[in-house]
Amino acid sequence: MRPTRDIAVVAFGQTDHRRTSDEHSEVEMLLPVLHDVLDRTGLRTADIGFTCSGSSDYLAGRAFSFTMALDGVGAWPPISESHVEMDGAWALYEAWTKLLTGDADTALVYAYGKSSPGSVRDVLTRQLDPYYVAPLWPDSVALAALQAQALIDAGETDEPALAGVAARSRADARTNAHAQLRGPVPQGDYLVRPLRTGDCPPIGDGAAAVILAAGERARDLCERPAWIRGIDHRVEAHSLGVRDLTDSPSTRLAAERAGAFERPVDTAELHAPFTSQEVVLRKALRLGDSVCVNPSGGPLAANPVMAAGLIRIGEAAARVHRGESDRALAHATSGPCLQQNLVAVLEGDVR
Amino acid sequence: MPEVLKAPLVVEFPFTRSLGPVQSAFLTGLRERVVLGVRTTDGRTLVPPVEYDPVTAEEIRDLVEVAPTGTVTTWAWNHEPRRGQPLDTPFAWVLVRLDGADTALLHALDAPGPDAVRTGMRVRVRWAPERSGAITDIACFEPYDGGPGEPTGHDGRFENPVTGIVAAARLDYVYSPGRAQTAYIENLSERRTVGERCPSCHKVYVPPRGACPTCGLATSEQVEVGPRGTVTTYCIVNIKAKNLDIEVPYVYAHIALDGAGLALHGRIGGIPYDEVRMGLRVEPVWAEGGRHPDHYRPTGEPDADYETYKEML
Ligand SMILES: [Zn+2]
């Protein structure tokens, strides 16, 4: 189904992603990024029609933590605002639907996460099924490792191939000034076998923001808007033992509904925090070797939890803005072993 | 700039959940060393069982016993167990398809090392010596080289079924309040109240959080306010909070410190609770060694005019 209005990403900004940022509160970390995207478009906070954010109380260790960050967007006098307790890619989805309704012509979407105050491996166990799984405290690396072993047993990858994904990502990240890990990174010891430290994303803090605009407004705000041709998200059964961990049917379905298979894409920004997950996603998205995958370095180079998915959309859009891509795919994930997946297709005007 | 403050922050809660009929039967079964699955309308057996078919979303209630033995479908070697995990010695995370089931259960496998684990290996349940009706009633799995174990022939109906679980959760953080609040707290320790002024609307925020919520701008100019202020509004607290060493009733108030652009919260002392009023002029009282005012008391000045504080209620 074609959207009823043309909506584009017109600006993208992100912090430098770092292991710790304890000198800054969330709002202090976020403010420069918000001003970055506003400055790129010439908009002021009062001009924004809708604001939506993504973050997690469990990362912050505080209830309603997103309300503190709202100080950064000028929430007085009152604004039209919403929040998702998820990656900011889902906040972008909500903003996109809001713009589709015609209630707003511009939207500010932002996401942030500080993993440094706690242990993100333990924090993420709290999103698991509380009856059968969470009481065992299986951490995020362990669950990804089960998926990696399933792929190896199925003959779809091996440890050298996974190391190749890691090396390519960090090599590409050399040109990304915001990335946390750049250039050669040792593959390291097993963290949870078969995943080595090199197969896993860095733990860090960061924030990102995007501005969306509809129709002619987008052309006014951006020389080459990244039009969202389609966007969809799908979820799979939460029980890991019900799923085929070597495949991602939810990603494939989201991609199909977003129109990703109608024509080839030239770029794909994949939210694959673990090397093995890139193997799954390439297959689900039918990405050939001609597609430039994660030219930013992807989440293996910087993985601020709750912002990393929004950053994939932002990076894909920024390549369209710069004229480096004509049709790009962006993917975001949430939950263990690629449980929930969002796919967006972005295009620039024909040149 | 002073070094940012940090302090340990522990978030701990007993995560209390009620169980539906299927989860209740499964967890009660574990207490009685019986493993139950649920049968879907297309004839598959799901272990662990769920109440709704993951494919059709149909309600399913048809309990069926499976064996306590099974086959590893994937695994991961965990050489450094973390707090709360099933074993404190190195172990393998495993997905196990129990004999009689079509789906796999996540748990731990006690094995001497990664070389002793492979996909397809046979395992069996090791029961916890004390069981209460929780997933941890399975202590772990252990290697097993026999055929399918014997089900007990249980029909899934139990005396005293478990109807709820308490899954204790604890997360440890090191909290840092960031630049603006660190500066505020550092100044408080010298008994000075320092806010930050917005460069655009010039409002002085106390306590400062580093941003003006009206303008959406970073604040940085520090401005000392108070020490005296005006009660802008208040309430009378009649119920004693746990561990609070204050006699009720007492007054909790919004106090606009002189020079501040908005009110902060504080307790009012040194005056009978029923004599506190809007416009009352107050000053902070610092406790010995305290890092913030213990309470505010009347200064004895005439009350402030309503016009001077009406924007700060
Ligand atoms: Zn202001």
Side-chain angles (χ1 to χ4, degrees), chain A residues 192-222:
Chain A
V192 179
R193 184 170 168 169
L195 294 179
R196 298 174 182 270
T197 49
D199 292 307
C200 302
I203 296 170
D205 300 352
V210 155
I211 290 180
L212 299 181
E216 283 309 305
R217 201 70 204 280
R219 289 183 211 281
D220 296 342
L221 298 173
C222 178

Side-chain angles (χ1 to χ4, degrees), chain B residues 159-219:
Chain B
E159 299 277 315
N160 305 316
V162 183
T163 57
I165 59 164
V166 178
R170 175 187 167 127
L171 294 169
D172 287 72
Y173 302 86
V174 176
Y175 181 70
S176 168
R179 179 201 58 79
Q181 295 184 87
T182 290
Y184 173 75
I185 294 167
E186 294 288 5
N187 277 304
L188 272 186
S189 68
E190 291 161 22
R191 301 194 172 187
R192 302 190 314 136
T193 303
V194 178
E196 286 188 354
R197 194 192 311 274
C198 172
S200 175
C201 69
H202 309 298
K203 202 175 227 189
V204 175
Y205 288 93
V206 187
R209 287 206 287 262
C212 172
T214 305
C215 307
L217 289 174
T219 59

Side-chain angles (χ1 to χ4, degrees), chain B:
Chain B
M1 187 185 124
E3 199 161 311
V4 283
L5 294 172
K6 291 181 185 184
L9 170 69
V10 178
V11 176
E12 199 166 13
F13 49 93
F15 199 47
T16 308
R17 314 271 316 187
S18 58
L19 302 173
V22 171
Q23 291 171 319
S24 169
F26 176 69
L27 293 178
T28 309
L30 297 185
R31 189 187 69 194
E32 309 301 328
R33 302 190 194 212
V34 171
V35 187
L36 295 168
V38 69
R39 190 164 284 152
T40 64
T41 41
D42 66 1
R44 293 182 313 140
T45 299
L46 309 182
V47 180
V50 292
E51 286 153 337
Y52 296 89
D53 189 307
V55 177
T56 64
E58 266 180 294
E59 187 173 334
I60 42 180
R61 291 285 182 274
D62 185 11
L63 295 165
V64 48
E65 190 186 359
V66 298
T69 54
T71 304
V72 170
T73 64
T74 187
W75 62 284
W77 185 256
N78 186 29
H79 63 90
E80 264 177 56
R82 302 168 74 79
R83 185 178 68 202
Q85 295 182 344
L87 296 168
D88 55 16
T89 51
F91 67 90
W93 288 107
V94 281
L95 281 169
V96 175
R97 190 168 56 233
L98 292 170
D99 297 322
D102 294 292
T103 60
L105 171 84
L106 178 76
H107 221 294
L109 170 68
D110 189 5
D115 294 340
V117 187
R118 61 183 172 78
T119 297
M121 78 182 284
R122 299 282 298 157
V123 296
R124 72 174 164 201
V125 169
R126 180 190 297 166
W127 296 105
E130 311 231 328
R131 295 177 308 282
S132 61
I135 191 66
T136 45
D137 288 354
I138 297 176
C140 61
F141 284 90
E142 59 190 23
Y144 165 76
D145 50 18
E150 280 299 305
T152 62
H154 207 282
D155 64 0
R157 282 194 287 271
F158 299 93
E159 299 277 315
N160 305 316
V162 183
T163 57
I165 59 164
V166 178
R170 175 187 167 127
L171 294 169
D172 287 72
Y173 302 86
V174 176
Y175 181 70
S176 168
R179 179 201 58 79
Q181 295 184 87
T182 290
Y184 173 75
I185 294 167
E186 294 288 5
N187 277 304
L188 272 186
S189 68
E190 291 161 22
R191 301 194 172 187
R192 302 190 314 136
T193 303
V194 178
E196 286 188 354
R197 194 192 311 274
C198 172
S200 175
C201 69
H202 309 298
K203 202 175 227 189
V204 175
Y205 288 93
V206 187
R209 287 206 287 262
C212 172
T214 305
C215 307
L217 289 174
T219 59
S220 59
E221 184 198 345
Q222 297 194 345
V223 180
E224 184 166 353
V225 298
R228 292 182 168 188
T230 301
V231 171
T232 65
T233 186
Y234 64 93
C235 65
I236 299 166
V237 180
N238 287 289
I239 296 172
K240 205 168 181 141
K242 201 174 161 188
N243 303 325
L244 189 65
D245 185 24
I246 297 169
E247 285 306 310
V248 289
Y250 65 89
V251 172
Y252 198 67
H254 270 187
I255 300 154
L257 294 179
D258 295 345
L262 75 170
L264 46 68
H265 308 258
R267 182 170 64 88
I268 306 298
I271 179 173
Y273 73 92
D274 56 355
E275 290 176 22
V276 174
R277 55 203 180 263
M278 290 169 74
L280 181 70
R281 296 285 294 160
V282 293
E283 63 188 2
V285 178
W286 299 81
E288 194 65 41
R291 292 198 66 159
H292 54 84
D294 177 71
H295 65 276
Y296 291 79
R297 70 181 170 208
T299 62
E301 293 166 273
D303 285 2
D305 184 40
Y306 179 68
E307 291 298 315
T308 64
Y309 62 85
K310 68 176 184 184
E311 301 293 330
M312 288 183 279
L313 299 183

Side-chain angles (χ1 to χ4, degrees), chain A residues 195-245:
Chain A
L195 294 179
R196 298 174 182 270
T197 49
D199 292 307
C200 302
I203 296 170
D205 300 352
V210 155
I211 290 180
L212 299 181
E216 283 309 305
R217 201 70 204 280
R219 289 183 211 281
D220 296 342
L221 298 173
C222 178
E223 203 171 312
R224 192 172 195 244
W227 300 105
I228 300 174
R229 294 303 182 206
I231 181 168
D232 196 273
H233 63 102
R234 300 283 153 165
V235 59
E236 292 175 38
H238 68 203
S239 179
L240 292 172
V242 171
R243 288 152 54 185
D244 172 3
L245 295 179

Side-chain angles (χ1 to χ4, degrees), chain A residues 76-100:
Chain A
W76 180 265
I79 60 171
S80 173
E81 182 271 337
S82 185
H83 173 260
V84 298
E85 189 76 7
M86 278 189 90
D87 189 287
W90 276 264
L92 184 141
Y93 184 90
E94 183 178 336
W96 177 75
T97 54
K98 180 83 172 180
L99 265 54
L100 279 184

